[in-house]
Amino acid sequence: MNLLRELLENLRQFIATIGATTLFLGRVLAQVPRAFLRPGLIIEQVHNAGALSLVIIMTCGLFVGAVLGLQGYDLLQRFGSEDALGTAAALALVKELGPVVTALLFAGRAGTALASEIGLMRATDQLTAMEMMAVDPIRRVVAPRFLGGVLAMPLLTVIFIAIGIFGVQVVGVQLFGVDSASFWSQMRSSVGVDDVYEGIIKGCVFGFACSLIAVYEGYTATPTAEGVGRATTRTVVTSAVLTLILDYMLTALML
Amino acid sequence: MRSTRAVEISTGLFVLLGFASLFFLVTQITNRELAISGGSYQVNAQFENVGSLKPGAAVSMAGVTIGRVDSIGYDQQIYKAVVKLRISSAYNRIPTDSDAAIMTSGLLGGQYIGITAGGAEEFLKEGDRIELVQDAFVLENLINQLFATFARGSGDASKANEPAAEETKQ
């Protein structure tokens, strides 16, 4: 009986969190036009979320591509069609690996930074101080950070994909000697602009979701050291789970 | 906090890198790169069976891509597939009696249209039709024939070789 009550309580809390996040999203979106009046703040956040994530995104992209080259080559050469490596790897990167891995890295690198920064502002009463000075913290702090994440994520995704394809090329063509011309021409003949759009749309949606979760968790963090830590953890976990669920839905939608 | 200038420069670099990657993806790995720059003209051809030919597939002569398949439609009057080919104006000396065949690149590769030059003095121009065509080679049909042969063969082993030999002659 206790177990059932606990389950119901958890369910109620889960639904309440979804509702609160949606309402919070409404408040942020309402401030977005005003946030654009101070583009400097947004640029700074694009820098924080995007430019500072560049090294990790590029390194991971290169190695994900290289592994794809190794595995893809090993698999395809069993069927004697290693020329299809370009196609297989490019489609995998553009449609799935690029957006999803970028979103996971983004949640780990930029999402946690956002959540802990805003959470710490809450814990040190900076947000309250702003409210007392009649500065809306959502407009001044949350909206620019949210927008920075939303703008940076699609760009990070395409960078990841481009570097990943370079990684595949390094392993497949340079290392294993797949014919360079057929690698590129098969890739070109079977990857359409639609596939690239699919990847970019996924990147945008994941960026939106991960940024929202990060700012929401930070903004509603319990104002203690422990609370900020918890908010950071929840950001990563929720972002990762939501990214994978959204990925399934988007793929089903666009297939 | 770092100076605003450094922030602006690194953000700018990041955005530029993003757009450069996007440009790379759209132009280098997708098939629209030969969206035929400059002028082009359209000719069409009627096939009994286009197999898995798709719009955007290459049209090539002697292995060189000279155009793309614009659209594939079905004409109810003649019960044939009508394929519209868009060919770059740079290649305007294709004889009118040239032959268009649907070919497959590699065993499992995509299909494309190969044009073999004829001997006529006149050249194809906008709206012309290529009369000589060769349909797609449908692997499934061949496999079905093969299975049919085997099925007959297992029924009556002594006659098995005869129909098989006939079919290979065809």
Side-chain angles (χ1 to χ4, degrees):
Chain A
M1 225 34 211
N2 257 343
L3 194 75
L4 192 70
R5 202 174 303 145
E6 218 168 281
L7 258 171
L8 278 176
E9 177 60 22
N10 279 344
L11 184 70
R12 196 192 62 79
Q13 237 170 40
F14 174 69
I15 293 171
T17 311
I18 291 179
T21 315
T22 315
L23 291 176
F24 184 74
L25 173 66
R27 284 171 71 193
V28 175
L29 288 182
Q31 295 298 336
V32 161
R34 294 227 184 116
F36 273 114
L37 293 179
R38 296 193 61 181
L41 289 178
I42 298 178
I43 291 174
E44 202 181 308
Q45 293 312 320
V46 171
H47 175 258
N48 278 344
L52 294 182
S53 310
L54 214 50
V55 175
I56 177 177
I57 291 286
M58 287 169 82
T59 317
C60 293
L62 185 68
F63 280 96
V64 167
V67 162
L68 215 52
L70 285 175
Q71 293 281 20
Y73 180 82
D74 180 55
L75 186 71
L76 289 168
Q77 58 99 20
R78 296 184 197 186
F79 307 108
S81 51
E82 57 267 35
D83 289 348
L85 178 65
T87 307
L91 282 178
L93 272 171
V94 169
K95 289 164 81 112
E96 284 302 326
L97 285 174
V100 172
V101 178
T102 311
L104 297 178
L105 292 171
F106 179 81
R109 166 65 187 75
T112 51
L114 282 183
S116 55
E117 190 187 7
I118 299 177
L120 215 61
M121 283 180 166
R122 165 71 73 201
T124 52
D125 285 336
Q126 290 181 50
L127 296 182
T128 322
M130 278 184 190
E131 272 163 10
M132 294 190 71
M133 291 187 290
V135 175
D136 183 355
I138 296 227
R139 188 197 311 170
R140 180 66 178 74
V141 173
V142 174
R145 280 168 176 72
F146 174 71
L147 282 176
V150 170
L151 294 176
M153 183 53 203
L155 292 173
L156 288 174
T157 305
V158 288
I159 293 172
F160 184 96
I161 295 170
I163 300 273
I165 288 171
F166 175 73
V168 176
Q169 193 267 144
V170 167
V171 171
V173 176
Q174 324 278 15
L175 210 64
F176 286 131
V178 172
D179 179 46
S180 158
S182 58
F183 177 87
W184 289 107
S185 69
Q186 287 216 13
M187 189 192 299
R188 271 174 215 178
S189 66
S190 49
V191 181
V193 176
D194 300 359
D195 298 317
V196 179
Y197 285 154
E198 186 179 333
I200 294 172
I201 290 173
K202 280 184 177 177
C204 293
V205 173
F206 296 162
F208 193 91
C210 293
S211 307
L212 176 66
I213 290 170
V215 291
Y216 172 77
E217 289 293 352
Y219 197 76
T220 56
T222 320
T224 57
E226 197 197 353
V228 175
R230 277 222 193 115
T232 315
T233 311
R234 270 208 305 272
T235 304
V236 179
V237 175
T238 319
S239 300
V241 173
L242 193 64
T243 297
L244 297 174
I245 294 174
L246 280 176
D247 184 46
Y248 176 80
M249 292 190 205
L250 287 174
T251 309
L253 205 67
M254 288 190 284
L255 210 60
Chain B
M1 193 175 147
R2 281 202 281 168
S3 72
T4 342
R5 185 126 190 94
V7 170
E8 276 170 4
I9 287 177
S10 64
T11 312
L13 281 178
F14 162 64
V15 173
L16 279 181
L17 194 64
F19 279 100
S21 304
L22 184 60
F23 184 74
F24 167 77
L25 292 187
V26 175
T27 57
Q28 291 304 301
I29 74 165
T30 64
N31 54 10
R32 305 279 169 86
E33 121 266 26
L34 209 137
I36 305 178
S37 48
S40 62
Y41 61 99
Q42 197 181 54
V43 297
N44 58 61
Q46 295 168 349
F47 293 92
E48 297 278 354
N49 187 345
V50 291
S52 61
L53 188 74
K54 295 202 172 54
V59 175
S60 70
M61 277 186 94
V64 179
T65 304
I66 59 165
R68 295 277 155 188
V69 172
D70 227 15
S71 68
I72 300 172
Y74 178 66
D75 190 331
Q76 287 199 325
Q77 308 296 321
I78 52 174
Y79 306 112
K80 279 183 179 177
V82 178
V83 178
K84 295 201 166 117
L85 313 175
R86 185 153 290 284
I87 296 169
S88 167
S89 308
Y91 307 99
N92 56 359
R93 292 171 56 83
I94 303 170
T96 46
D97 63 344
S98 296
D99 145 287
I102 298 178
M103 312 220 244
T104 309
S105 55
L107 188 57
L108 300 169
Q111 290 190 306
Y112 66 98
I113 291 193
I115 296 181
T116 317
E121 296 289 320
E122 283 176 42
F123 302 119
L124 286 173
K125 49 188 194 304
E126 172 75 33
D128 280 359
R129 184 155 75 86
I130 299 179
E131 305 283 346
L132 295 169
V133 295
Q134 194 183 321
D135 288 333
F137 167 77
V138 181
L139 198 62
E140 287 89 334
N141 288 352
L142 193 78
I143 292 171
N144 281 342
Q145 271 180 15
L146 212 63
F147 273 118
T149 315
F150 282 141
R152 259 179 288 168
S154 61
D156 187 354
S158 60
K159 284 183 186 169
N161 288 335
E162 271 179 59
E166 270 170 32
E167 265 172 33
T168 40
K169 267 178 214 163
Q170 288 169 5

